[in-house]
């Protein structure tokens, strides 16, 4: 079986897949790690449990997760030897990692070098890797990076117009995030369209709490809305997205805000929450807008408008558009926001069939009429599955178990 581990800021998600990745035999999340009252929610064998646990850090959280997977009553496996390989998510691979890799001591050293680029996230990913290597010695481990899908972007898309030495000496550039999601979604979209990925120019709209708009041409990310960090691009749940950087100096000098205050404001108090004054959750913002709340209406108008501009810009960058793909919490679940974003984009070949749009039910769906020149689609993202797929492929040569697993995935995929 293949175990995936995803260490987030205060949570650890895990999933245990069958070797051919056709099913999940156990999964869960340890939440509130390092905070008061951490707990685990675990599912396996048709049972769901929730328990308070001790999880002062991510290493302890992984031990808790493993105990649940091995639990005699609600576990999914009897012995750790059932686990053939482990896949980890890492947020930042800098410009070192252009694809997923097998974990070695060298890889860990290089991942440590990327830590200044994601000081809040990479150390947690490293904790997960160290602990998994300790608990599962000799089991091959793979690390999958949120940034690596974007590493093939052309320089014109990733170098900032600052003095060049900042890029050359300090690696200050656009990196982009949500790459694991965008890679999975673009691949699935091509499968659903039954067209070769290499032929397609797509814009992926990953609309969750964080938002990434990604231009994917020929299966490669050629431009992406997030940048050096996870701030830029369109407005998000609590993040501002793009604004004039001159404002930072103004807030600092004229309103006497410290850099820390400005960072917290732009990161945690802006976006849908900041403009609406109601919530960072799109469902609530839409509800209040319908009830007549003017600021909620404005927040939605801004959210939609910023995304439209990225779609138009990326269609221009790619010289056309074959598919527009919606994914993540808002993209998958809100027909209203999808319709608003697509409205007025007929000149790009984007049209929406209202019945098809309203009927989306959690599966992949094409929501444009057959006559539209660009396909508009909904593709549920599955970052864990992408991590598991990379894990199987990279560990295929590592041992009998993993080699057999890779053969089973190939067979299941036909
Ligand atoms: P994350 O970036 O944390 O992984 P998700 O992809 O789970 O986020 O998306 C979470 C967001 O999805 C929520 O904040 C909420 O705004 C939005 N969302 C979920 N369901 C709906 C819905 N039915 N309508 C509108 N927005 C929704």
């Amino acid at each position: 079986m293949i175990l995936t581990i995803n260490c987030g800021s205060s949570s650890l998600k895990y999933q245990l897949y069958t070797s051919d990745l056709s099913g999940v035999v156990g999964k869960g999340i340890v939440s509130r790690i390092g905070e008061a009252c951490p707990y685990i929610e675990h599912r396996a064998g048709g049972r769901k449990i929730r328990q308070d646990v001790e999880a002062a850090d991510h290493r302890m959280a992984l031990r808790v997760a493993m105990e649940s997977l091995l639990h005699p009553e609600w576990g999914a496996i009897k012995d750790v030897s059932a686990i053939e390989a482990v896949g980890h998510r890492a947020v930042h691979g800098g410009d070192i990692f252009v694809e997923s890799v097998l974990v070695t001591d060298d890889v860990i050293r290089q991942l440590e070098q990327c830590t200044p680029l994601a000081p809040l996230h990479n150390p947690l990913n490293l904790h997960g890797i160290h602990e998994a290597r300790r608990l599962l010695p000799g089991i091959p481990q793979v690390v999958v990076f949120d940034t690596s899908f974007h590493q093939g972007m052309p320089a014109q898309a990733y170098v900032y117009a600052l003095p060049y030495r900042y890029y050359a000496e300090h690696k200050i550039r656009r990196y982009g995030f949500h790459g694991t999601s965008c890679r999975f979604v673009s691949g699935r979209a091509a499968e659903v369209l039954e067209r070769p990925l290499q032929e397609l120019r797509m814009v992926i709209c990953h609309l969750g709490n964080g938002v990434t708009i990604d231009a994917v041409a020929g299966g490669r990310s050629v431009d992406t809305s997030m940048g050096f960090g996870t701030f830029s691009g369109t407005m998000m749940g609590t993040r501002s997205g793009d604004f004039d950087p001159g404002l930072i100096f103004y807030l600092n000098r004229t309103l006497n805000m410290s850099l820390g205050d400005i960072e917290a404001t732009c990161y945690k108090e802006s976006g849908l929450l900041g403009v609406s004054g109601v919530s960072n959750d799109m469902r609530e913002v839409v509800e209040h807008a319908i009830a007549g709340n003017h600021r909620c209406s404005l927040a939605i108008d801004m959210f939609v408008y910023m995304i439209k501009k990225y779609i138009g810009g990326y269609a221009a960058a790619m010289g056309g558009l074959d598919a527009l793909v919606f994914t993540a919490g808002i993209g998958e679940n809100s027909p209203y926001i999808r319709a608003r974003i697509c409205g007025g984009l007929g000149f790009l070949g984007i049209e929406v069939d209202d019945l098809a749009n309203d009927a989306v039910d959690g599966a992949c769906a094409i929501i444009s009429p057959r006559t539209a020149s660009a396909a508009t689609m909904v593709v549920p993202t599955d970052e864990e599955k992408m991590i598991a797929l990379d894990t199987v492929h990279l560990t295929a040569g590592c041992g009998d178990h993993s080699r057999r697993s890779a053969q089973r995935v190939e067979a299941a995929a036909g």
Side-chain angles (χ1 to χ4, degrees):
M1 295 186 196
I2 308 296
L3 176 65
T4 61
I5 297 171
N6 182 346
C7 293
S9 41
S10 65
S11 70
L12 182 151
K13 291 184 201 155
Y14 58 96
Q15 287 207 31
L16 190 61
Y17 287 86
T18 56
S19 308
D20 64 0
L21 307 188
S22 61
V24 174
V25 294
K27 67 175 185 177
I29 178 165
V30 184
S31 300
R32 302 187 62 86
I33 300 170
E35 299 172 8
C37 311
Y39 62 93
I40 187 169
E41 290 168 295
H42 171 88
R43 284 169 189 253
R47 289 192 64 172
K48 185 179 172 189
I49 61 129
R50 184 190 190 283
Q51 265 192 338
D52 291 342
V53 295
E54 281 193 32
D57 58 31
H58 285 71
R59 281 174 170 254
M60 286 174 81
L62 183 55
R63 291 202 287 278
V64 165
M66 288 301 296
E67 278 161 21
S68 288
L69 286 170
L70 288 160
H71 197 275
E73 267 179 64
W74 55 75
I77 47 173
K78 291 199 167 54
D79 192 274
V80 288
S81 63
I83 299 174
E84 298 163 71
V86 183
H88 298 266
R89 167 179 178 244
V91 168
H92 219 306
D95 59 0
I96 300 175
F97 296 106
V98 299
E99 57 190 6
S100 307
V101 289
L102 268 172
V103 175
T104 61
D105 292 343
D106 269 351
V107 163
I108 289 181
R109 271 191 290 278
Q110 287 171 317
L111 196 47
E112 282 164 355
Q113 284 171 25
C114 300
T115 292
L117 296 169
L120 299 180
H121 293 98
N122 271 24
L124 308 178
N125 304 144
L126 277 160
H127 283 172
I129 293 171
H130 285 304
E131 192 61 15
R133 285 181 113 195
R134 199 182 68 78
L135 294 172
L136 301 164
I139 302 295
Q141 318 241 349
V142 164
V143 59
V144 178
F145 303 90
D146 275 4
T147 47
S148 63
F149 185 51
H150 307 299
Q151 276 296 305
M153 285 189 292
Q156 64 187 13
Y158 69 73
V159 177
Y160 289 124
L162 294 166
Y164 191 76
R165 65 175 185 281
Y166 289 103
Y167 164 62
E169 293 168 24
H170 302 285
K171 300 188 175 190
I172 291 171
R173 49 162 287 177
R174 181 187 303 282
Y175 286 102
F177 297 87
H178 292 125
T180 312
S181 169
C182 292
R183 186 155 62 99
F184 179 84
V185 166
S186 54
R188 280 292 291 138
E191 282 170 15
V192 171
L193 292 173
E194 297 181 349
R195 290 182 61 185
L197 185 57
Q198 287 68 26
E199 279 179 10
L200 295 169
R201 295 160 300 181
M202 302 185 197
V203 172
I204 311 289
C205 297
H206 176 111
L207 314 180
N209 274 317
V211 173
T212 280
I213 313 297
D214 197 22
V216 180
R220 288 176 47 201
S221 172
V222 292
D223 204 347
T224 194
S225 60
M226 279 193 181
F228 177 76
T230 54
F231 245 126
S232 70
T234 68
M235 95 195 229
M236 313 183 202
T238 60
R239 283 170 260 177
S240 60
D242 296 338
F243 65 82
D244 177 357
L247 197 50
I248 295 172
F249 313 119
Y250 183 85
L251 292 173
N252 177 245
R253 290 193 193 120
T254 312
L255 299 190
N256 290 323
M257 285 172 72
S258 70
L259 285 179
D261 289 345
I262 298 169
E263 186 175 25
T265 301
C266 299
Y267 204 84
K268 296 189 179 144
E269 297 163 15
S270 299
L272 289 174
L273 174 67
V275 178
S276 72
V278 167
S279 174
N280 63 327
D281 189 315
M282 184 58 96
R283 285 165 289 202
E284 286 181 45
V285 179
V286 169
E287 248 173 54
H288 283 78
I290 291 168
N293 183 312
H294 163 73
R295 276 174 53 186
C296 287
S297 297
L298 175 63
I300 297 167
D301 291 347
M302 291 166 62
F303 185 85
V304 165
Y305 180 66
M306 288 170 98
I307 293 171
K308 274 179 193 281
K309 288 202 293 185
Y310 267 95
I311 295 170
Y314 286 167
M318 293 188 290
L321 187 68
D322 300 302
L324 175 67
V325 191
F326 290 100
T327 194
I330 302 170
E332 291 169 30
N333 296 304
S334 178
Y336 172 69
I337 295 294
R338 291 194 296 262
R340 287 282 311 268
I341 291 170
C342 294
L345 296 185
F347 74 101
L348 287 173
I350 295 169
E351 291 172 51
V352 168
D353 174 332
D354 290 335
L355 286 178
N357 186 31
D358 288 342
V360 174
D361 63 354
C364 292
I366 297 175
I367 59 169
S368 47
R370 281 177 187 280
T371 47
S373 65
T376 299
M377 316 171 65
V378 178
V379 175
T381 192
D382 193 344
E383 287 161 298
E384 262 67 30
K385 185 76 173 275
M386 193 76 252
I387 294 168
L389 277 164
D390 279 1
T391 303
V392 167
H393 287 129
L394 280 165
T395 57
C398 292
D400 284 350
H401 260 334
S402 319
R403 199 165 28 248
R404 280 201 300 276
S405 187
Q407 284 162 356
R408 284 190 289 262
V409 172
E410 303 287 328

